[in-house]
Amino acid sequence: MNIAVMGAGAVGCYYGGMLARAGHAVTLIGRPQHVEAIRRDGLLLDTRTFRQHVRLEASTEVNAVRGADLILFCVKSTDTEIAADEMKPHLKPQALVLTLQNGVDNAERLQARLSQVVVPTVVYVATEMAGPGHLKHHGRGELVIATTAASEGIAKTFAEAGIPTQVSDNVIGALWMKLILNCAYNALSAITQLPYGRVVPGESVEGVMRDVVQECVAVAQAGGVRLPGDAWQVVAGLVQTMPTQYSSTAQDLARGKRSEIDHLNGYVMRKGESLGVPTPVNRTLFALVKLIEARQATAA
Amino acid sequence: MNIAVMGAGAVGCYYGGMLARAGHAVTLIGRPQHVEAIRRDGLLLDTRTFRQHVRLEASTEVNAVRGADLILFCVKSTDTEIAADEMKPHLKPQALVLTLQNGVDNAERLQARLSQVVVPTVVYVATEMAGPGHLKHHGRGELVIATTAASEGIAKTFAEAGIPTQVSDNVIGALWMKLILNCAYNALSAITQLPYGRVVPGESVEGVMRDVVQECVAVAQAGGVRLPGDAWQVVAGLVQTMPTQYSSTAQDLARGKRSEIDHLNGYVMRKGESLGVPTPVNRTLFALVKLIEARQATAA
């Protein structure tokens, strides 16, 4: 299969690397520092089970999507529209686009701009770029993709490449479940610059997290979303498995980068407004992250 | 009159200095750096209308309250009990104690430990210690004191010393109004380390502040407090008069000091719990300030 990864950060490099290792023709599209290192040395896939340099194509140019049958769309939720417009003129008419992103509405936003089929996908993986061209895998790696005519075939291809992939008719519910996790942890860790294991035991924090979850569940239900499981149990369980983790939002703020908060607590807030469901705690967390971003933007 | 100021920070030095300047025998009880400077050079009263070195007594020892007819009690709300116990053995039986503090329950907490009459007082002044023994006055200076047998006499004495003082039967309502202002501004400014003029225009911030005010008003009403005026109007007006101001909580966090948040949003939260009034946004702001304090305590 001819595969392109649009936005080759830690998620895109992991899945692109696994597919290239299985013999597929993969092109990573990403930032110069990674592209240069990958062209020179290959992608270093440094996983829980093996460590290997994988040879594949890499480019900083969006037109490298040309010829791809499958696009793994891995840009930040804040960049979905821009990246869609950039790649649109170069896409094959029959190309299939999988959204491997945080947030629940990326596939919808992308589909609004592309005539190709867009398949919402849930990603369960812990990875980071440990250096230029160096992908560090901390655990998991499963995908869940929405039901389409092509989904079973893709799931089989992925499974053969070591990527456990499930086809589901409730990907939106699973994306919401991830969204709720992100809403409960990301902003608190970001605002305080603390890891989950130090956030959760804080005075009155459990009540705050319960409020966040309850607001999210109310919005999801008002929007007709079917949540697969008890959201609070999932949220309460996460801290035990990753006590030393800082949220991606915390990492973005620490690096002075724009975060995805518009697509996390900000999304729940806007969705709640449109559905008439109050979300005061999500709004508070959203407003605080935006203020800190604005302060940093001025300071920079 | 023989007057002692317990906790001679910026508020205590202003009122103590004004009374000493009018001829009263005033003793300031405070930290060594200020006490040394004041003993050497007098207190520099650097006000909006004059600049003058005022001679008065200063001590680091609590037993300097001995002999005072009037105590201006100006310690942080977090230190009320400790300071009460320290000064208790040295107080004259007939001494009168005025609480010039943030928070609404200091007089009650102090009265629970002292047999002397405690008079809740509302302070409207903007001051800071600009250096050792150097009191900088930015504006205002009025007091409102609760009705007691002695209150009219005190108000007259204070007025003659240039301190406009009103006697009121609703000091608790006025203290609540100040509490609501503090709840709406202090934590937001502290968590983001931004001045009011940059907090208020932030995305979704007005909604957050409205939620804070609405929760506070609901708790006050459930507690039988009569608020003098429209709380939201007072809150919305403050930013216009002090756009460059950082809250005292912001200053405490910036200096790595423990803040008064337990007696601001934390008080509203606890009072709400005891009255069955939900305060999710006050709780969120409280929890975040506590987490940041805890992080700083570990880092220090």
Side-chain angles (χ1 to χ4, degrees), chain B residues 4-283:
Chain B
V5 177
M6 180 71 188
V11 166
C13 283
Y14 177 73
Y15 290 103
M18 291 292 284
L19 290 163
R21 185 171 173 256
H24 297 285
V26 175
T27 303
L28 304 178
I29 299 163
R31 302 193 178 203
Q33 56 164 340
H34 294 303
V35 168
E36 280 165 28
I38 291 166
R39 282 181 168 169
R40 193 178 57 234
D41 307 317
L43 171 71
L44 174 54
L45 260 188
D46 184 1
T47 77
R48 293 284 294 265
T49 48
F50 64 88
R51 188 182 157 97
Q52 182 181 334
H53 281 88
V54 178
R55 284 280 160 197
L56 34 54
E57 298 292 318
S59 174
T60 59
E61 301 294 326
V62 179
N63 62 19
V65 296
R66 195 167 291 164
D69 308 303
L70 181 68
I71 314 286
L72 306 186
F73 191 72
C74 305
V75 305
K76 285 211 155 200
S77 295
T78 42
D79 297 330
T80 291
E81 278 80 9
I82 288 171
D85 292 346
E86 283 176 356
M87 71 181 188
K88 187 179 167 68
H90 309 293
L91 285 181
K92 271 168 74 167
Q94 303 310 324
L96 203 70
V97 184
L98 267 58
T99 55
L100 281 68
Q101 300 172 278
N102 280 328
V104 297
D105 66 346
N106 281 295
E108 194 181 313
R109 288 158 58 203
L110 200 54
Q111 192 66 83
R113 301 198 165 220
L114 301 180
S115 55
Q116 287 79 2
V117 175
V118 178
V119 187
T121 303
V122 201
V123 182
Y124 300 100
V125 74
T127 52
E128 64 169 322
M129 296 308 298
H134 179 186
L135 183 281
K136 180 93 182 117
H137 169 243
H138 295 293
R140 302 188 67 176
E142 318 92 83
L143 298 179
V144 181
I145 63 177
T147 308
T148 67
S151 294
E152 288 298 345
I154 290 173
K156 187 158 177 292
T157 302
F158 282 16
E160 286 164 4
I163 303 167
T165 303
Q166 194 191 321
V167 178
S168 165
D169 65 353
N170 191 20
V171 161
I172 293 300
L175 284 172
W176 262 92
M177 202 62 120
K178 272 199 79 173
L179 175 70
I180 296 175
L181 271 172
N182 287 329
C183 285
Y185 283 93
N186 280 39
L188 286 171
S189 170
I191 294 164
T192 63
Q193 289 291 308
L194 286 171
Y196 300 165
R198 292 202 48 203
V199 167
V200 174
E203 193 174 344
S204 298
V205 170
E206 185 186 318
V208 174
M209 293 177 75
R210 282 186 185 270
D211 283 342
V212 170
V213 171
Q214 178 269 314
E215 291 176 10
C216 290
V217 169
V219 172
Q221 286 174 343
V225 175
R226 182 164 43 94
L227 289 173
D230 181 289
W232 173 249
Q233 279 199 330
V234 174
V235 166
L238 183 71
V239 63
Q240 267 109 50
T241 60
M242 10 181 40
T244 62
Q245 183 73 29
Y246 290 77
S247 68
S248 60
T249 312
Q251 294 174 49
D252 287 338
L253 290 193
R255 290 169 192 155
K257 283 164 63 180
R258 188 178 167 201
S259 78
E260 292 187 298
I261 200 72
D262 281 322
H263 303 281
L264 305 178
N265 307 85
Y267 178 79
V268 172
M269 175 189 84
R270 292 191 306 277
K271 200 78 184 168
E273 281 166 9
S274 76
L275 293 165
V277 178
T279 59
V281 177
N282 278 284
R283 175 160 68 180

Side-chain angles (χ1 to χ4, degrees), chain A residues 157-175:
Chain A
T157 303
F158 282 15
E160 286 165 4
I163 303 167
T165 303
Q166 194 192 321
V167 179
S168 165
D169 66 353
N170 190 21
V171 161
I172 294 299
L175 284 171

Side-chain angles (χ1 to χ4, degrees), chain A residues 188 191-194 198-199 202-205 207-208 211 262 269 280-281 283-288 290-292 294-295 298, chain B residues 188 191-194 198-199 202-205 207-208 211 262 269 280-281 283-288 290-292 294-295 298:
Chain A
L188 287 171
I191 294 163
T192 63
Q193 290 291 309
L194 286 171
R198 292 202 47 204
V199 167
E203 192 174 344
S204 299
V205 171
V208 175
D211 283 343
D262 281 321
M269 175 189 83
V281 177
R283 175 161 69 180
T284 303
L285 296 174
F286 169 74
L288 285 166
K290 293 299 269 191
L291 283 174
I292 294 170
R295 183 193 71 206
T298 316
Chain B
L188 286 171
I191 294 164
T192 63
Q193 289 291 308
L194 286 171
R198 292 202 48 203
V199 167
E203 193 174 344
S204 298
V205 170
V208 174
D211 283 342
D262 281 322
M269 175 189 84
V281 177
R283 175 160 68 180
T284 303
L285 297 174
F286 169 74
L288 285 166
K290 293 300 268 191
L291 283 173
I292 294 170
R295 183 194 72 205
T298 317

Side-chain angles (χ1 to χ4, degrees), chain A residues 249-267:
Chain A
T249 312
Q251 294 174 49
D252 287 338
L253 290 193
R255 289 168 193 156
K257 283 166 63 181
R258 188 178 166 199
S259 78
E260 291 187 298
I261 200 73
D262 281 321
H263 303 281
L264 305 177
N265 306 86
Y267 178 79

Side-chain angles (χ1 to χ4, degrees), chain A:
Chain A
M1 239 178 156
N2 197 335
I3 300 165
V5 177
M6 181 70 189
V11 166
C13 283
Y14 177 74
Y15 290 104
M18 292 293 284
L19 290 163
R21 185 172 173 256
H24 297 284
V26 175
T27 303
L28 303 178
I29 299 161
R31 302 195 176 201
Q33 56 164 343
H34 294 303
V35 168
E36 280 165 28
I38 292 166
R39 282 181 168 169
R40 192 178 58 234
D41 307 319
L43 172 71
L44 174 54
L45 261 189
D46 184 3
T47 76
R48 293 286 294 265
T49 48
F50 65 87
R51 187 183 157 96
Q52 182 181 334
H53 282 88
V54 179
R55 283 279 160 197
L56 35 54
E57 298 292 319
S59 175
T60 58
E61 301 294 325
V62 178
N63 62 18
V65 297
R66 195 167 289 164
D69 307 303
L70 182 68
I71 314 286
L72 307 186
F73 192 73
C74 306
V75 305
K76 286 211 156 198
S77 295
T78 42
D79 297 331
T80 291
E81 279 80 10
I82 287 171
D85 292 345
E86 283 177 355
M87 72 180 188
K88 185 178 168 68
H90 309 293
L91 285 180
K92 272 168 73 167
Q94 305 308 324
L96 203 71
V97 184
L98 269 58
T99 54
L100 282 70
Q101 299 171 278
N102 279 329
V104 297
D105 67 346
N106 282 294
E108 194 182 313
R109 288 159 58 203
L110 202 52
Q111 192 66 83
R113 303 200 164 219
L114 300 180
S115 54
Q116 289 80 4
V117 174
V118 178
V119 187
T121 304
V122 200
V123 182
Y124 298 101
V125 73
T127 53
E128 63 168 323
M129 295 309 297
H134 180 185
L135 183 283
K136 181 95 182 115
H137 170 243
H138 295 292
R140 303 189 65 176
E142 317 92 82
L143 297 179
V144 181
I145 63 177
T147 308
T148 68
S151 294
E152 288 297 347
I154 288 173
K156 187 159 175 291
T157 303
F158 282 15
E160 286 165 4
I163 303 167
T165 303
Q166 194 192 321
V167 179
S168 165
D169 66 353
N170 190 21
V171 161
I172 294 299
L175 284 171
W176 263 92
M177 203 61 122
K178 272 199 77 174
L179 176 69
I180 296 174
L181 271 171
N182 287 329
C183 286
Y185 282 95
N186 280 40
L188 287 171
S189 170
I191 294 163
T192 63
Q193 290 291 309
L194 286 171
Y196 300 165
R198 292 202 47 204
V199 167
V200 174
E203 192 174 344
S204 299
V205 171
E206 186 186 317
V208 175
M209 293 177 75
R210 282 186 185 270
D211 283 343
V212 171
V213 171
Q214 177 268 314
E215 291 175 10
C216 290
V217 169
V219 173
Q221 285 174 344
V225 174
R226 182 162 44 94
L227 289 173
D230 181 291
W232 173 248
Q233 278 198 332
V234 174
V235 166
L238 182 71
V239 63
Q240 267 110 50
T241 61
M242 5 182 45
T244 62
Q245 182 73 31
Y246 290 78
S247 70
S248 59
T249 312
Q251 294 174 49
D252 287 338
L253 290 193
R255 289 168 193 156
K257 283 166 63 181
R258 188 178 166 199
S259 78
E260 291 187 298
I261 200 73
D262 281 321
H263 303 281
L264 305 177
N265 306 86
Y267 178 79
V268 172
M269 175 189 83
R270 291 191 307 276
K271 199 79 182 168
E273 280 166 10
S274 75
L275 293 165
V277 178
T279 58
V281 177
N282 278 283
R283 175 161 69 180
T284 303
L285 296 174
F286 169 74
L288 285 166
V289 171
K290 293 299 269 191
L291 283 174
I292 294 170
E293 282 183 8
R295 183 193 71 206
Q296 294 185 333
T298 316

